[in-house]
């Protein structure tokens, strides 16, 4: 019994009798408190970086409603486990204080300190204050909570004192409305909608009057500009404020947060060496901290170029004005990670070479319309691009509507994804570079027209005729050749998948006759699916494939290994059965840049050679003794296959191909298995042959196109057999 009493006495002395040392100064970092026993974190609001300070506070308890007292430099909060007022010194150990006057067995989650007074708030319970001055002479002094008002109707999880107007501010979690609280009488004033909702368990002010919200659910830190407030600000002036919450940084998430900070401290401690890198574009691009400029915590590993960046106390707003890294006493250019290999010409591709000191993630923006910001559509050129250590060649397309002249770009390299052109990051570097946009002397040649389409239709039962409904794969399709000085420098091809009336799975590709595969620039080759850029090695479930196929003399561009991966049907098939119409869901754009431009006279005729092939690993008919996959190709009539095709398939079933005479993919009556129709043609419905839907087609095919040349016109069709 004696030992137990001694242990209890020792515990009481440790937690209540010994006065921990206060903080030596007003710290710049914000403090975050989470969990039970409460863990204390230091948070850099500028970058969102955070570090664990202490996870053993001496008591197995949670502490909330924490505020920093600038008078005695202690942190004060409420022990929600045992319903006690506590304080923490620089060692972050909990000291329990003597307090009376609060409702029994009631927890408070909202609190802050100003002028040596601790304020507590709980919705539907009350707004209280506690004079802390008795503690100046006796840390065991009796404190008394005084009710300011019982009218507490705003739902809060934290509030904080403004350093200038001496009022409290907090955000209603449900509505996102910012409220002002008068500490003298407890009155509240709704100021405006912040545009953000959630549990803002930790809120802070800085010395300039900016208000910071840390959201529990995702850790995102927002900033509201309340810097103009003074003690004389009127309610009307308050109501006129723009209180939109702007994303500022990414911090730690938790199901329970509380925060405190010395509001009179600057966000960046100017008494110590800065470890933050800012950009240096002109002020309109959001460069300084006041403008929420892009900034990164220097981690010594994640940066661009050969020289690590130097730390800044704020963003400079002039070209390369922060290039002052010192290595062994010498100045180095730390904006050396980005080099423009090619000019930035409207409508053309450009190559940027980026040197990464380590693996990381790159985001970059270009002010194409030269309006002084990066906030316009299509101005983010690179999104979460994974870089490897060393040189990385990246391609981008300069928009056709980019405006000629000088402008700016911003490159952000980090271990984080999802960065914006502004805000903080907990690692990496930002490089801003001046650019020049020029307009080249180029022209375009479109097929069939700039805003029109041809229709490609395929019967996938080759070499058998079978149902011959010619709707197994249907595409709208067009091509554009980019021409400079009488030579084609790039080929653009677009398509929209119209129908898949097939049980078999097929891929889609385009062969470019007489265009050598080695003449395609793989760096600037682009394939987009539904406007999303695909990696150079495409994906199809667990399989991977090359967009520019290797092993072929002519360039072959693979759009998809399996078109069924891009369509889901309300019926058995996609847009081929009567009454089964639905929106088109897949389109593609491919750009094929040529290393050596090709004279117009040597260009293959569009539509070049679009074809379908068997999806690897899947069944494609009993006529094949195994799964033919990429060896099976179906081309337009009299177009030879690629080297990937198995020539042993020629002559099977109904096929009468003869390579020696240039005859391909026709049956004995000259009927083909693929069609190009120079208009937006309507295809037959499922199991209705093209000969039923378009009676003149047989004459056209048998004559090899010499007669019945308007067979595809709607006036020549039998509409009962068409898909609609």
């Amino acid at each position: 019994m004696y030992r137990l009493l001694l242990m209890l006495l020792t515990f009481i002395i440790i937690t209540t009798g010994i006065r921990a040392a206060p903080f030596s100064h007003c710290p710049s970092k914000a403090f975050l408190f989470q969990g039970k026993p409460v863990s204390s974190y230091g948070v850099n609001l500028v970058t969102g970086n955070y570090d664990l300070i202490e996870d053993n506070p001496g008591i197995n308890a949670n502490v909330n409603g924490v505020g920093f007292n600038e008078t005695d430099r202690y942190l004060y909060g409420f022990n929600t486990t045992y319903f006690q007022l506590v304080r923490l010194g620089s060692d972050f150990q909990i000291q329990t204080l003597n307090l009376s006057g609060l409702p029994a067995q009631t927890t408070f989650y909202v609190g802050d300190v100003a002028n040596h007074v601790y304020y507590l708030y709980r919705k539907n319970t009350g707004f209280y204050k506690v004079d802390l001055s008795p503690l100046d002479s006796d840390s065991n002094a009796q404190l008394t909570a005084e009710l300011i008002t019982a009218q507490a109707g705003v739902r809060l999880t934290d509030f904080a004192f403004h350093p200038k107007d001496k009022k409290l501010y907090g955000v209603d979690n449900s509505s996102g409305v910012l409220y002002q609280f008068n500490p003298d009488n407890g009155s509240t004033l709704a100021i405006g909608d912040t545009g953000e909702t959630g549990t803002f368990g930790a809120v802070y002010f800085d010395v300039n009057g900016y208000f910071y919200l840390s959201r529990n659910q995702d850790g995102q830190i927002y900033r509201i500009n309340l810097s103009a407030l003074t003690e004389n600000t009127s309610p009307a002036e308050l109501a006129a404020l723009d209180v939109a919450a702007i994303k500022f940084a990414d911090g730690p998430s938790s199901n329970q947060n509380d925060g405190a900070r010395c509001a009179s401290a600057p966000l960046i401690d100017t008494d110590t060496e800065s470890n933050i890198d800012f950009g240096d574009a002109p002020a309109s691009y959001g460069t300084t901290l006041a403008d929420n400029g892009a900034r990164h915590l220097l981690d010594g590993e994640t940066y661009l170029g050969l020289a690590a960046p130097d730390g800044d106390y704020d963003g400079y707003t002039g070209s390369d004005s922060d290039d002052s890294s010192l290595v062994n006493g010498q100045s180095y250019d730390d904006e050396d990670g980005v080099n423009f290999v090619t000019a930035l010409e409207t409508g053309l591709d450009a190559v940027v070479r980026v040197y990464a000191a380590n693996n990381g993630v790159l985001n970059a923006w270009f002010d194409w319309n030269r309006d002084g910001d990066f906030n316009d559509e299509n101005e983010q050129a690179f999104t979460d691009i994974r870089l490897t250590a060393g040189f990385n060649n990246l391609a981008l397309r300069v928009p056709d509507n980019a405006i000629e002249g000088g402008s700016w770009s911003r490159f952000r390299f980090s271990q984080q994804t999802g960065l914006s052109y502004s805000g903080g990051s907990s690692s990496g570097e930002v490089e801003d570079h001046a650019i020049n946009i020029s307009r080249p002397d180029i022209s375009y040649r479109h097929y069939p027209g700039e805003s029109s389409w041809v229709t490609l239709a395929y019967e996938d039962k080759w070499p058998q005729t079978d149902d011959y409904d010619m709707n197994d794969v249907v595409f709208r399709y067009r091509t554009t050749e980019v021409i400079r000085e009488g030579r084609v420098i790039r080929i653009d091809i677009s398509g929209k998948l119209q129908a898949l009336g097939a049980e078999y799975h097929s891929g889609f590709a385009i062969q470019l006759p007489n265009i050598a595969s080695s003449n395609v620039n793989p760096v600037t080759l682009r394939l987009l699916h539904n406007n999303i850029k695909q990696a150079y090695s495409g994906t199809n479930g667990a399989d991977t494939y090359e967009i520019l196929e290797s092993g072929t003399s002519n360039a072959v561009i693979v759009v998809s290994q399996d078109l069924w991966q891009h369509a889901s049907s309300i019926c058995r098939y996609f847009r081929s059965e009567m009454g089964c119409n639905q929106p088109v869901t897949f389109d593609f754009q491919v750009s094929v840049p040529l290393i050596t431009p090709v004279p117009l006279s040597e260009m293959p005729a569009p539509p070049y050679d679009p074809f379908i092939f068997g999806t690897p690993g899947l069944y494609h008919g009993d006529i094949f003794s195994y799964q033919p996959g990429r060896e099976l190709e179906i081309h337009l009539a009299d177009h030879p296959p690629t080297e990937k095709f198995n020539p042993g398939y020629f002559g099977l079933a109904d096929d009468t191909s003869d390579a020696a005479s240039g005859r391909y993919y026709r049956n004995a009556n000259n009927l083909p298995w693929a069609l190009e129709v120079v208009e937006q043609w309507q295809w037959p419905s499922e199991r209705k042959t093209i000969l039923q839907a378009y009676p003149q087609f047989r004459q056209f095919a048998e004559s090899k196109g010499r007669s019945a040349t308007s067979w595809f016109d709607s006036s020549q069709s039998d509409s009962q057999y068409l898909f609609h």
Side-chain angles (χ1 to χ4, degrees):
M1 178 63 72
Y2 175 77
R3 174 177 284 184
L4 178 60
L5 290 174
L6 183 61
M7 290 175 63
L8 288 174
L9 180 60
T10 302
F11 176 77
I12 291 171
I13 292 173
I14 291 174
T15 59
T16 62
I18 296 178
R19 176 174 177 173
F23 288 87
S24 61
H25 64 287
C26 183
S28 291
K29 70 177 57 176
F31 298 112
L32 190 67
F33 306 90
Q34 297 179 345
K36 176 188 175 183
V38 66
S39 293
S40 303
Y41 294 86
V43 181
N44 185 330
L45 292 178
V46 178
T47 64
N49 186 65
Y50 60 96
D51 297 298
L52 176 66
I53 299 174
E54 180 59 71
D55 61 359
N56 183 7
I59 301 177
N60 185 21
N62 168 258
V63 177
N64 220 296
V66 185
F68 187 87
N69 185 359
E70 295 190 34
T71 303
D72 63 10
R73 299 193 303 280
Y74 280 98
L75 290 161
Y76 289 83
F78 196 82
N79 180 335
T80 64
T81 306
Y82 299 110
F83 315 108
Q84 297 167 324
L85 181 65
V86 299
R87 75 177 179 182
L88 297 86
S90 56
D91 61 359
F92 291 89
Q93 298 298 295
I94 294 175
Q95 178 188 3
T96 300
L97 304 174
N98 296 315
L99 177 68
S100 61
L102 290 179
Q105 302 296 302
T106 301
T107 292
F108 286 81
Y109 296 100
V110 180
D112 199 14
V113 182
N115 301 320
H116 218 14
V117 177
Y118 179 59
Y119 294 84
L120 303 90
Y121 176 94
R122 182 183 174 97
K123 182 182 179 182
N124 299 328
T125 298
F127 188 13
Y128 293 82
K129 65 180 181 180
V130 179
D131 181 8
L132 301 174
S133 60
L135 299 174
D136 295 343
S137 57
D138 181 5
S139 62
N140 293 316
Q142 181 64 45
L143 305 176
T144 303
E146 177 185 343
L147 180 66
I148 299 173
T149 180
Q151 304 300 314
V154 180
R155 182 185 176 188
L156 295 179
T157 43
D158 200 13
F159 59 19
F161 269 98
H162 193 291
K164 297 178 182 178
D165 78 350
K166 309 305 180 183
K167 301 292 194 305
L168 284 155
Y169 292 84
V171 174
D172 183 295
N173 295 334
S174 299
S175 66
V177 172
L178 175 68
Y179 281 86
Q180 182 196 74
F181 297 80
N182 188 324
D184 297 326
N185 56 27
S187 63
T188 61
L189 177 65
I191 300 175
D193 187 0
T194 65
E196 295 292 336
T197 58
T199 304
F200 297 108
V203 301
Y204 315 90
F205 270 101
D206 70 13
V207 66
N208 296 313
Y210 287 94
F211 188 40
Y212 301 85
L213 317 173
S214 176
R215 185 160 58 196
N216 293 21
Q217 290 91 334
D218 52 21
Q220 292 188 353
I221 300 170
Y222 293 87
R223 187 177 74 171
I224 300 173
N225 186 358
L226 300 180
S227 61
L229 299 185
T230 68
E231 293 185 67
N232 299 319
T233 301
S234 68
E237 291 172 320
L238 271 174
L241 286 177
D242 178 4
V243 295
I246 305 301
K247 174 75 177 296
F248 195 70
D250 290 284
S253 61
S254 174
N255 59 3
Q256 181 271 314
N257 271 352
D258 194 75
R261 185 180 184 276
C262 180
S264 64
L267 285 184
I268 300 177
D269 189 350
T270 56
D271 293 333
T272 60
E273 183 177 349
S274 176
N275 61 348
I276 299 172
D277 178 57
F278 284 84
D280 54 16
S284 65
Y285 291 97
T287 300
T288 64
L289 185 59
D291 294 326
N292 192 23
R295 57 207 181 270
H296 293 250
L297 182 71
L298 302 178
D299 63 5
E301 298 178 352
T302 310
Y303 56 89
L304 299 174
L306 298 174
D310 58 327
D312 304 316
Y313 293 107
D314 208 341
Y316 296 90
T317 55
S319 176
D320 298 331
S321 58
D322 71 343
D323 290 345
S324 56
S325 288
L326 291 177
V327 180
N328 296 326
Q330 298 185 41
S331 178
Y332 285 84
D333 178 6
D334 67 7
E335 303 283 291
D336 62 342
V338 176
N339 289 285
F340 294 91
V341 178
T342 60
L344 297 174
E345 299 178 290
T346 57
L348 298 183
D349 297 305
V351 176
V352 180
R353 174 171 283 191
V354 179
Y355 186 89
N358 208 335
N359 296 346
V361 180
L362 181 76
N363 287 273
W365 296 261
F366 290 73
D367 180 14
W368 296 127
N369 62 2
R370 302 176 60 216
D371 66 345
D373 62 48
F374 300 117
N375 194 34
D376 299 294
E377 186 177 5
N378 296 325
E379 289 196 330
Q380 184 165 6
F382 302 123
T383 302
D384 290 342
I385 300 295
R386 297 279 177 179
L387 302 186
T388 57
F391 285 107
N392 298 260
N393 289 325
L394 306 177
L396 69 147
R397 173 72 53 82
V398 182
D400 292 334
N401 59 354
I403 297 176
E404 296 174 75
S407 192
W408 280 85
S409 62
R410 171 163 292 165
F411 292 77
R412 302 191 68 179
F413 184 55
S414 174
Q415 297 301 322
Q416 289 178 255
T417 60
L419 292 180
S420 177
Y421 53 82
S422 62
S425 173
S426 57
S427 62
E429 179 186 9
V430 53
E431 288 195 8
D432 292 342
H433 291 271
I435 59 173
N436 185 71
I437 304 168
S438 60
R439 183 168 295 279
D441 183 16
I442 59 175
S443 59
Y444 301 91
R445 184 167 67 175
H446 306 281
Y447 176 82
E450 184 176 1
S451 58
S452 55
W453 304 86
V454 300
T455 302
L456 303 175
Y458 297 85
E459 174 57 57
D460 71 348
K461 297 296 178 67
W462 183 91
Q464 297 169 304
T465 306
D466 203 77
D467 58 5
Y468 206 55
D469 50 18
M470 208 63 76
N471 62 21
D472 296 330
V473 175
V474 181
F475 266 104
R476 304 285 192 229
Y477 179 96
R478 68 167 164 241
T479 69
T480 298
E481 295 167 349
V482 182
I483 303 164
R484 172 184 267 171
E485 297 177 351
R487 295 172 179 265
V488 174
I489 61 175
R490 192 182 76 223
I491 301 168
D492 294 341
I493 304 171
S494 303
K496 296 181 180 182
L497 182 63
Q498 302 296 303
L500 286 176
E503 293 181 353
Y504 300 155
H505 288 237
S506 295
F508 183 73
I510 304 152
Q511 180 176 213
L512 300 176
N514 302 322
I515 303 292
S517 180
S518 59
N519 196 27
V520 175
N521 188 338
V523 176
T524 52
L525 174 67
R526 295 202 319 168
L527 172 64
L528 282 71
H529 287 175
N530 293 337
N531 211 35
I532 298 174
K533 188 176 181 180
Q534 305 299 296
Y536 183 73
S537 290
T539 60
N540 173 35
D543 299 324
T544 62
Y545 66 93
E546 299 171 307
I547 295 173
L548 175 64
E549 277 194 329
S550 59
T552 60
S553 54
N554 290 331
V556 175
I557 307 300
V558 179
V559 172
S560 173
Q561 286 273 78
D562 185 358
L563 294 173
W564 269 117
Q565 294 285 331
H566 310 291
S568 59
S569 180
I570 59 176
C571 299
R572 183 175 182 179
Y573 304 113
F574 178 65
R575 291 170 52 90
S576 69
E577 299 161 274
M578 298 294 287
C580 294
N581 206 340
Q582 65 184 91
V584 171
T585 57
F586 174 67
D587 63 67
F588 74 86
Q589 298 89 41
V590 61
S591 289
V592 185
L594 303 178
I595 297 172
T596 301
V598 177
L600 288 172
S601 60
E602 298 177 13
M603 281 295 296
Y608 315 124
D609 183 18
F611 64 94
I612 63 173
F613 59 89
T615 297
L618 297 180
Y619 172 80
H620 212 96
D622 291 337
I623 195 168
F624 301 104
S625 59
Y626 58 94
Q627 299 155 345
R630 184 62 186 84
E631 293 183 354
L632 170 64
E633 298 179 359
I634 303 173
H635 293 250
L636 296 170
D638 299 333
H639 282 65
T642 76
E643 289 101 319
K644 301 282 187 180
F645 175 76
N646 185 344
Y649 297 157
F650 281 146
L652 294 177
D654 301 320
D655 180 67
T656 61
S657 297
D658 178 22
S661 63
R663 179 185 179 88
Y664 296 99
Y665 299 100
R666 292 182 184 271
N667 71 5
N669 294 321
N670 284 329
L671 297 180
W673 278 266
L675 288 173
E676 174 206 353
V677 183
V678 191
E679 66 173 33
Q680 297 189 43
W681 174 72
Q682 197 61 37
W683 55 94
S685 62
E686 194 62 32
R687 294 288 174 179
K688 302 300 188 293
T689 72
I690 190 174
L691 303 175
Q692 292 173 300
Y694 293 93
Q696 291 191 26
F697 176 70
R698 182 185 298 277
Q699 181 181 351
F700 172 81
E702 290 179 348
S703 67
K704 287 193 173 183
R706 288 188 289 271
S707 60
T709 55
S710 61
W711 67 268
F712 54 83
D713 192 271
S714 59
S715 63
Q716 306 297 326
S717 68
D718 189 333
S719 63
Q720 66 176 316
Y721 298 116
L722 298 181
F723 169 75
H724 50 77

